[in-house]
């Protein structure tokens, strides 16, 4: 199950079944999402900057998967609560970035703030 719409529906059901809707306001979900991003950062904070995928052992990969799932689920829930179609917005944003950073002139060059 990887479809955003299905995740959104399941998160909505999960919330409603537990009568947690009243806790899922914009501020609380934003802070929860931020906290989960912090948990991802905590897992990698002391890895050497040169660490690559090959340096991630099975245990760390499992923990990263768990925390990244938390991030995605809170993100999906937040988007639902504020009425944002996350898939459509992400698609639109990617198209904007493809235009903003054409391959010619940007290949292998880190984006700057121009
Ligand atoms: Mg977590």
């Amino acid at each position: 199950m990887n479809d955003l719409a299905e995740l959104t529906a399941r998160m909505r059901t999960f919330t409603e079944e537990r009568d947690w809707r009243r806790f899922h306001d914009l501020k609380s979900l934003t802070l929860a999402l931020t906290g989960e991003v912090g948990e991802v950062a905590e897992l990698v904070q002391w890895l050497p900057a040169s660490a690559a995928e090959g340096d991630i052992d099975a245990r760390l990969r499992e923990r990263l998967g768990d925390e990244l799932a938390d991030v995605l689920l809170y993100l999906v829930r937040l988007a639902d609560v504020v009425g944002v179609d996350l898939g459509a917005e992400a698609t639109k944003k990617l198209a904007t970035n493809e235009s903003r950073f054409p391959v010619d002139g940007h290949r292998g060059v880190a984006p700057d703030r121009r």
Side-chain angles (χ1 to χ4, degrees):
M1 181 189 70
N2 291 313
D3 183 72
L4 282 177
E6 187 175 351
L7 283 175
T8 298
R10 286 192 62 182
M11 280 298 289
R12 190 182 300 165
T13 299
F14 178 89
T15 300
E16 290 171 358
E17 286 176 342
R18 288 156 183 79
D19 191 23
W20 288 352
R21 174 63 186 89
R22 63 185 130 152
F23 306 121
H24 284 190
D25 56 88
L26 172 60
K27 183 268 304 171
S28 297
L29 287 169
T30 299
L31 290 176
L33 173 61
T34 302
E36 295 300 340
V37 170
E39 290 183 29
V40 173
E42 185 180 17
L43 291 174
V44 301
Q45 67 184 339
W46 300 120
L47 288 178
S50 60
E53 293 85 1
D55 300 317
I56 299 173
D57 64 22
R59 175 69 182 132
L60 178 55
R61 181 170 286 107
E62 180 182 333
R63 294 179 69 194
L64 282 168
D66 186 64
E67 299 306 342
L68 289 170
D70 285 341
V71 169
L72 178 60
L73 291 174
Y74 273 126
L75 179 62
V76 162
R77 182 66 185 143
L78 175 59
D80 188 33
V81 165
V82 297
V84 166
D85 181 338
L86 192 56
E89 290 299 327
T91 299
K92 189 167 65 177
K93 185 70 175 199
L94 184 54
T96 298
N97 289 343
E98 288 166 346
S99 296
R100 187 174 170 205
F101 304 108
V103 173
D104 282 345
H106 291 89
R107 183 172 173 78
V109 178
D112 61 24
R113 296 200 167 269
R114 273 184 276 165

